[in-house]
Amino acid sequence: MQGAASAGTPINQGTTHHEPEHHRPANLPFTLTILGAGSATPALRYHPTAQLLTVGSDYMLIDCGEGTQLRLIEQKIRMGRLRYIFISHLHGDHYFGLPPLLSTLNLSGRTEDLFLFGPRGLDEVLTTIFRVSDSRLGYRLHFQVVDPAQPMRLLDHPQLTVESIPLQHRIDCSGYLFREKPHARRLLRERLPADVPVQYLKLLKEGHDILNADGQIIHAADDVTEPGPPARSYAFCSDTRYVEGLISQLRGVDLLYHEATFLDDNAQRAAEVYHSTASQAATIAARAEVGRLLIGHFSSRYKQYEDFLNEARAVFPETYLAIEGQTVLI
């Protein structure tokens, strides 16, 4: 959907989106705010799935259940700073909040491009809603279909890359893996002469030694730099049954969110409806050797959630509940 074009115009389906490169300081903000951690049936305590990943100055919304824009307002998050939206699948509790959010952005006068990633058919839904309501967007909405069958690179951002994670649900469903790019080495300026040319500093930060015309080292990168902070990573696994095939793609991520709709007492039900239990989510985390695990998407049949935590921690101790309104530093 381009600019002020009618919603009857198909949303553009592009290729991997590339952001221009620019200088980036090390260790920019990389945080996750839980906006909704409930499942499909409404509950007072938990809202439908929605998360906000803050990467530097950019906001990335992951799923957009009903009422997401109200949750953003409650958390005092400026919706105008949203640049990327990732939708996992077309069950309503994961995207029914998207059309009103897009409309609000338009009413607020947004002109900056917005990038939307999600399953095939999402463009048809939005096109129909905006066509029958005679709505026209004053900003460009770029849409890219996510292949649910295989991982694909979706975004090449100055700070990170985003790739899809194939999940197994009743309908096509994808998770998302956010990986920071490696940070440059840090210069130890107290060890550098004052007259080192600027072009040498760049090479040293990239780990290259500086040689003279005779091939002798005049500045060794290891002597005048230190490693930058480690690159961070976050994986979002929305609705899915237990899938061992996820383990290799998730290996070593710093923070994993994995749905845990049921406890083990309903393991058979979980398998029937293509969901996971808390212990299954923890098993994925343990076998993938992730740093921490967040679990959410709890079925409304449960009124207490400590059992989810206990069941998961028996398998993977670094498990935590996804608490709405909480911001997690990655």
Side-chain angles (χ1 to χ4, degrees):
M1 193 176 301
Q2 290 286 342
S6 164
T9 304
I11 298 174
N12 275 8
Q13 298 177 9
T15 56
T16 301
H17 177 64
H18 295 270
E19 284 284 355
E21 290 289 343
H22 57 71
H23 173 72
R24 61 188 183 101
N27 239 25
L28 285 166
F30 195 47
T31 62
L32 182 75
T33 300
I34 307 299
L35 302 172
S39 57
T41 305
L44 292 176
R45 184 173 176 182
Y46 276 98
H47 298 79
T49 301
Q51 300 181 359
L52 186 80
L53 187 67
T54 300
V55 181
S57 60
D58 283 338
Y59 284 163
M60 300 184 177
L61 183 66
I62 309 168
D63 274 351
C64 189
E66 182 180 354
T68 292
Q69 62 177 325
L70 296 178
R71 303 294 291 148
L72 290 167
I73 293 170
E74 287 175 357
Q75 296 300 315
K76 297 181 173 55
I77 294 168
R78 293 174 54 193
M79 288 183 280
R81 285 179 57 188
L82 284 172
R83 265 200 100 193
Y84 307 95
I85 300 176
F86 300 86
I87 302 297
S88 61
H89 65 296
L90 293 184
H91 280 157
D93 56 317
H94 293 262
Y95 85 102
F96 276 175
L98 181 60
L101 172 62
L102 298 178
S103 178
T104 297
L105 292 174
N106 185 58
L107 291 173
S108 66
R110 183 188 181 98
T111 58
E112 184 184 11
D113 290 11
L114 184 65
F115 299 90
L116 173 64
F117 305 85
R120 189 174 305 278
L122 180 57
D123 52 344
E124 298 177 35
V125 173
L126 295 177
T127 294
T128 300
I129 289 174
F130 290 143
R131 175 176 56 79
V132 299
S133 64
D134 192 26
S135 299
R136 294 170 173 80
L137 299 183
Y139 56 90
R140 290 181 179 270
L141 180 60
H142 303 269
F143 177 65
Q144 182 172 338
V145 171
V146 178
D147 185 347
Q150 59 185 353
M152 62 183 296
R153 175 72 63 85
L154 300 172
L155 179 64
D156 188 4
H157 182 276
Q159 276 77 54
L160 82 170
T161 60
V162 184
E163 64 183 50
S164 61
I165 304 171
L167 302 176
Q168 291 185 16
H169 195 41
R170 289 196 300 109
I171 62 174
D172 290 346
C173 188
S174 299
Y176 297 100
L177 176 57
F178 303 82
R179 286 192 183 277
E180 267 194 317
K181 294 180 177 178
H183 295 286
R185 297 178 68 84
R186 288 172 169 166
L187 287 170
L188 302 174
R189 295 190 177 273
E190 66 276 10
R191 298 186 184 180
L192 279 167
D195 58 350
V196 176
V198 173
Q199 62 268 28
Y200 285 2
L201 299 180
K202 182 176 184 297
L203 290 171
L204 289 167
K205 290 180 67 175
E206 293 173 352
H208 302 294
D209 295 333
I210 306 302
L211 310 179
N212 63 17
D214 297 326
Q216 297 175 321
I217 296 176
I218 55 175
H219 300 297
D222 286 344
D223 292 341
V224 297
T225 65
E226 64 180 7
R232 297 162 290 184
S233 54
Y234 172 61
F236 170 83
C237 289
S238 175
D239 298 15
T240 184
R241 65 179 179 180
Y242 178 79
V243 182
E244 289 193 356
L246 297 177
I247 293 169
S248 60
Q249 190 178 7
L250 299 177
R251 189 168 303 282
V253 300
D254 294 301
L255 180 66
L256 167 65
Y257 171 86
H258 193 292
E259 72 117 288
T261 307
F262 297 99
L263 294 172
D264 268 347
D265 60 355
N266 277 289
Q268 182 174 347
R269 176 62 178 163
E272 291 171 352
V273 294
Y274 286 76
H275 281 294
S276 297
T277 69
S279 66
Q280 288 173 339
T283 298
I284 293 291
R287 296 189 61 185
E289 300 176 309
V290 307
R292 289 175 292 165
L293 170 66
L294 282 179
I295 53 175
H297 201 268
F298 309 118
S299 170
S300 60
R301 72 180 59 198
Y302 300 100
K303 306 308 177 187
Q304 301 294 328
Y305 303 104
E306 284 303 310
D307 286 344
F308 284 87
L309 194 59
N310 294 334
E311 185 174 287
R313 283 184 170 174
V315 179
F316 185 73
E318 285 296 311
T319 300
Y320 303 88
L321 299 179
I323 304 298
E324 294 187 7
Q326 182 180 67
T327 295
V328 181
L329 179 65
I330 301 173

